[in-house]
Amino acid sequence: MTPCTLTALSDLATLDVDTIIDVRAPSEFAEDHLPGAINLPVLSDAERAEVGTIYKQVSPFDARKIGGALVAQNTAQHLQTALSGKDGSWQPLVYCWRGGQRSGAFSTILDQVGWRVQLLQGGYRSYRRLVVAALYDTPMPHRLMLIEGGTGTAKTRLLHHLRDAGAQVLDLEGLAQHRGSLFGAMEGGQPHQKMFESRLAQALTPLDPAQITWVEAESSKIGGITLPPALWAAMIAAPRVEISALLAERAHFLCRAYDDLTADPAMLEECIDRLRPYHSAETIAAWQTQARAGDWAPLAEGLIGQHYDPRYAKTASRNPAPLVQLALSDLNDSTLAQTAAALHARFNASE
């Protein structure tokens, strides 16, 4: 069994292992884990709670004895199922919360089988410290360029075209699994805050700080996710490119981009209902009538013009003037691709 120490997040890309195994309970794994790890828990959530209760209420010795038996049983189950097809050349990296008894016991059994096992020193906690250091304790070194514009100006789609054009991009809405508005929920829901931060740190690590990284302008929260302070500070200070388009084009784009909501009018009505604190009952009723009738374009125009644009104008008035303002004739993919290529060429050349 070989100890493994992470000194930087970039170390994850150079690990000489075949599989990263998180032996913590499923709820711990769901909250966050090392990128690419699989979960082979040596204690279930219920078993972990039971052992913890025995430790506090009976004795540490009894807890370790009962816990040891459960770990052995669960490890045997993993050997007979998930690990049954691994040959002698397979090399795993194993960790638990702090590199203690759970990962130690599991690794010892795997080592005795004959596999070359690496054990993460400090466990998940050592990895989490690196994430926190990158996102909370030190300023971001990356050169950000923000894409801003009113709702429906295809900012996320433009960001994807920038990526396709060869630019560095950071897709925060993709990482947060949310489109950043009251109507922005995605299937599957959002990750835990810690999981988002892991995804964010993983996305940032390979980016070249000397090159521009394009980011969509967001508020400090995307759905239920809060942007870490280092990133938020960098976004506030970043130069901006502002995208605009005619209201009809924006409404048409939203109808395409939010086809999951147009396919579910009842859900759309629920989303509209959450706007009651900001609009009259008559306005809400009119929008919900349009949703029931499938009048998507007029509904989108109303939401943009009456709800989102006034709020965007208020926020934009507090920001520095954009570096570039682009008025697009339409928001089709061909136009967005051309715009992305031109932006990448322009700012790449100026570096």
Side-chain angles (χ1 to χ4, degrees):
M1 190 159 44
T2 304
C4 173
T5 302
L6 293 179
T7 59
L9 291 171
S10 57
D11 291 347
L12 291 167
T14 60
L15 290 174
D16 186 21
V17 297
D18 297 312
T19 310
I20 301 175
I21 301 176
D22 185 324
V23 300
R24 297 176 302 158
S27 63
E28 296 174 284
F29 181 82
E31 183 178 40
D32 188 29
H33 51 263
L34 269 67
I38 65 170
N39 189 208
L40 298 181
V42 295
L43 293 175
S44 67
D45 289 309
E47 291 166 345
R48 179 169 170 256
E50 177 189 358
V51 171
T53 300
I54 294 170
Y55 187 95
K56 292 179 180 179
Q57 297 182 1
V58 182
S59 75
F61 174 80
D62 286 336
R64 286 193 292 268
K65 182 173 62 176
I66 293 172
L70 291 170
V71 168
Q73 292 171 11
N74 291 327
T75 300
Q77 178 69 16
H78 295 320
L79 286 168
Q80 293 166 347
T81 54
L83 304 181
S84 62
K86 305 299 183 184
D87 61 24
S89 65
W90 178 66
Q91 299 183 60
L93 169 68
V94 178
Y95 71 91
C96 59
W97 184 61
R98 59 182 179 183
Q101 293 180 335
R102 287 184 288 177
S103 59
F106 186 80
S107 296
T108 297
I109 295 174
L110 266 57
D111 184 70
Q112 290 298 307
V113 169
W115 286 311
R116 288 176 289 174
V117 183
Q118 294 188 42
L119 182 63
L120 181 61
Q121 299 299 288
Y124 164 79
R125 194 166 59 169
S126 67
Y127 161 74
R128 176 63 186 170
R129 286 196 193 102
L130 294 175
V131 173
V132 170
L135 302 179
Y136 284 84
D137 299 341
T138 55
M140 279 187 57
H142 301 78
R143 297 174 55 202
L144 303 185
M145 181 79 76
L146 266 57
I147 302 172
E148 69 175 3
T151 295
T153 50
K155 299 181 293 294
T156 303
R157 190 67 184 143
L158 178 60
L159 192 73
H160 295 167
H161 280 292
L162 278 161
R163 178 194 58 208
D164 295 341
Q168 289 189 153
V169 304
L170 184 63
D171 183 359
L172 295 176
E173 293 186 1
L175 296 174
Q177 293 176 210
H178 197 281
R179 289 169 292 203
S181 74
L182 191 64
F183 298 83
M186 294 183 180
E187 186 177 356
Q190 293 192 266
H192 289 270
Q193 179 71 29
K194 287 183 178 179
M195 177 67 77
F196 168 78
E197 291 171 3
S198 278
R199 293 177 178 179
L200 175 60
Q202 185 184 12
L204 287 168
T205 297
L207 299 180
D208 182 357
Q211 295 184 23
I212 287 174
T213 296
W214 294 86
V215 185
E216 182 177 348
E218 305 281 356
S219 66
S220 61
K221 293 193 70 175
I222 303 176
I225 295 293
T226 300
L227 299 184
L231 173 61
W232 182 237
M235 290 175 66
I236 290 174
R240 298 162 181 261
V241 171
E242 184 180 52
I243 307 299
S244 63
L246 295 174
L247 179 58
E249 287 293 329
R250 294 162 61 192
H252 183 59
F253 177 82
L254 283 184
C255 292
R256 301 196 309 270
Y258 285 75
D259 58 356
D260 56 322
L261 284 180
T262 59
D264 191 346
M267 182 183 296
L268 182 54
E269 282 191 64
E270 289 180 16
C271 291
I272 293 171
D273 205 58
R274 297 175 202 158
L275 297 177
R276 287 190 182 280
Y278 312 104
H279 299 280
S280 68
E282 291 77 12
T283 299
I284 296 296
W287 285 342
Q288 290 183 327
T289 298
Q290 289 175 324
R292 285 192 293 272
D295 295 333
W296 310 127
L299 172 60
E301 288 191 15
L303 288 169
I304 293 171
Q306 295 174 250
H307 182 76
Y308 284 106
D309 274 0
R311 283 156 180 79
Y312 172 72
K314 184 177 180 180
T315 300
S317 68
R318 298 194 294 262
N319 295 329
L323 192 63
V324 177
Q325 291 178 300
L326 296 176
L328 302 185
S329 59
D330 62 67
L331 298 171
N332 296 328
D333 271 326
S334 58
T335 299
L336 294 173
Q338 292 170 8
T339 303
L343 285 172
H344 179 49
R346 175 176 178 175
F347 288 100
N348 208 36
S350 64
E351 293 175 1

